Amino acid sequence: MGLTRITPATTTPVSVAEVKAYCRIEGSDENSLVEVLLKSAVSTIGERIGRPLAPEGWQLVLDQFSDAIELGKAPVTAVTEVGYTDPDGLPQVVDPAVYSLDLVSQPQWVVRNEGQVWPDVLAGVNVVSVEFTVGYTSSTIPAELKLAVLQLAEHWYSNRGTVNVGNIVNDLPFTVEDLIAPD
């Protein structure tokens, strides 16, 4: 089994304008800096919580089909394609009527629908693939994660090159750590 990012994030669930408003930055002179801080904050928090914050494309490869396929990343927003290599060695795509996406469970799954059958695959490794999208948008990001992004970007903006060790845990401000800590 392998899990690979195939499409990096091209957007963020928090806008430059929102960061500028949070930091009380007027004008556009520092837009480039704010964009770098925003992208870095989104990436850092996503890595810390083990979930991409911005929409990304991922591919899971398996050696065979199973009734339920754990996707291994969250939050899944869509399955783009379930593919496989047929017994003749040709790439094929599974009809979406064969499976459903379970977005309620954690972790999230691709589940074979009742009465449906997965197609036969070539005997071998990495013959089944699931391509899917994970991450949040501006309308789906939880408030705590959005606030954590804003606070981290503001912290870096206000403390350029300075680290106040008394106010951070593992290189993040305490308030950010509190916002992203699991319940």
Side-chain angles (χ1 to χ4, degrees), residues 62-146:
L62 304 163
D63 298 339
Q64 61 188 6
F65 283 111
S66 61
D67 287 343
I69 301 169
E70 180 181 338
L71 294 175
K73 282 283 177 191
V76 176
T77 57
V79 169
T80 311
E81 177 178 285
V82 176
Y84 66 101
T85 305
D86 72 16
D88 295 325
L90 300 173
Q92 304 290 337
V93 176
V94 177
D95 180 345
V98 172
Y99 60 88
S100 296
L101 178 58
D102 175 2
L103 295 176
V104 176
S105 300
Q106 293 296 327
Q108 295 165 320
W109 302 80
V110 170
V111 181
R112 182 183 53 79
N113 290 333
E114 189 173 335
Q116 297 291 325
V117 178
W118 291 118
D120 291 332
V121 298
L122 181 70
V125 296
N126 301 327
V127 294
V128 173
S129 66
V130 181
E131 293 184 12
F132 57 100
T133 305
V134 297
Y136 298 104
T137 65
S138 60
S139 62
T140 62
I141 187 169
E144 296 83 3
L145 293 179
K146 183 173 187 171

Side-chain angles (χ1 to χ4, degrees), residues 7 10-11 18 21-22 28 37 43 57 64-65 79 82 95 128 131 134 138-139 144 147-148 163 166 172 176:
T7 308
T10 58
T11 63
E18 289 171 311
Y22 190 82
S28 59
L37 295 174
S43 175
Q64 61 188 6
F65 283 111
V79 169
V82 176
D95 180 345
V128 173
E131 293 184 12
V134 297
S138 60
S139 62
E144 296 83 3
L147 183 56
V163 176
L172 293 181
V176 173

Side-chain angles (χ1 to χ4, degrees), residues 3 9-11 18 27 49 58 87-88 119 126 140 143 149 153 162 167 177:
L3 192 57
T10 58
T11 63
E18 289 171 311
I49 66 172
W58 284 79
D88 295 325
N126 301 327
T140 62
V149 168
T162 303
N167 291 328
E177 281 288 341

